[in-house]
Amino acid sequence: MEEKEYYMREAIKLSIEKMQAGFGGPFGAVVVRNGEIIARGFNNVTSSNDPTAHAEVDAIRKACASLQTFQLDDCELFTSCEPCPMCLGAIYWARFKKVYYGNTKKDAAVVGFDDQFIYDEIDKPLTERTINMEQLLPEEAIVAFQKWSSNTEKMAY
């Protein structure tokens, strides 16, 4: 058995086991570094009352804590399903070198996990989005960015 298939089977196994145990939806993920599983994540949205508790985000948080870093550029992610928009963003921020997935976003939509409306919303101008967005106190908010720009001790990322 090839290593890639082993890691994907681990993600799939997590998706089934944790879903059947009542943690949340049928999604699992593992982070692999140098041939070793660094972290295992699973969907626990409904059990934790946290809409961001997707398998990929859970695995990323655990991997970063374990490795004491905020970047996973020497790691690969194996996830049981093609990542949703939120997880895709987290994957890019973590800077994985490669992502493997099992089910597609179309497969997910068929069983009730349809994220197409989010992709559609991203393409809309702010004024046309379903959730109303309004800029407030930009003159005050910009101060944080100014302080960041002038901070010589910041850790860039």
Side-chain angles (χ1 to χ4, degrees), residues 26-118:
F27 303 96
V30 296
V31 176
V32 176
R33 179 180 182 217
N34 298 327
E36 178 186 352
I37 294 177
I38 300 302
R40 290 173 165 80
F42 54 90
N43 182 291
N44 55 88
V45 168
T46 57
S47 61
S48 67
N49 295 314
D50 179 354
T52 70
H54 289 200
E56 297 91 336
V57 171
D58 187 41
I60 289 168
R61 289 174 179 160
K62 290 173 179 174
C64 288
S66 173
L67 297 173
Q68 294 293 292
T69 183
F70 55 86
Q71 292 186 348
L72 302 171
D73 52 352
D74 59 348
C75 297
E76 296 175 321
L77 179 69
F78 292 79
T79 180
S80 64
C81 186
E82 184 177 356
C84 74
M86 176 186 68
C87 292
L88 188 59
I91 287 164
Y92 274 95
W93 284 119
R95 295 178 170 85
F96 281 97
K97 64 180 180 181
K98 187 154 187 179
V99 175
Y100 299 90
Y101 63 92
N103 294 311
T104 67
K105 63 184 180 180
K106 289 181 181 180
D107 297 330
V110 169
V111 296
F113 298 97
D114 189 354
D115 298 323
Q116 188 58 47
F117 77 97
I118 297 174

Side-chain angles (χ1 to χ4, degrees), residues 1-10 32 34-36 76 78:
M1 171 173 49
E2 283 203 36
E3 278 187 67
K4 290 189 295 191
E5 285 79 6
Y6 170 77
Y7 301 131
M8 182 56 71
R9 286 188 180 106
E10 286 295 304
V32 176
N34 298 327
E36 178 186 352
E76 296 175 321
F78 292 79

Side-chain angles (χ1 to χ4, degrees), residues 138-154:
E139 316 82 19
E140 294 179 33
I142 199 69
V143 172
F145 285 175
Q146 292 166 341
K147 289 182 181 296
W148 170 261
S149 291
S150 64
N151 181 352
T152 59
E153 297 179 20
K154 66 184 169 216

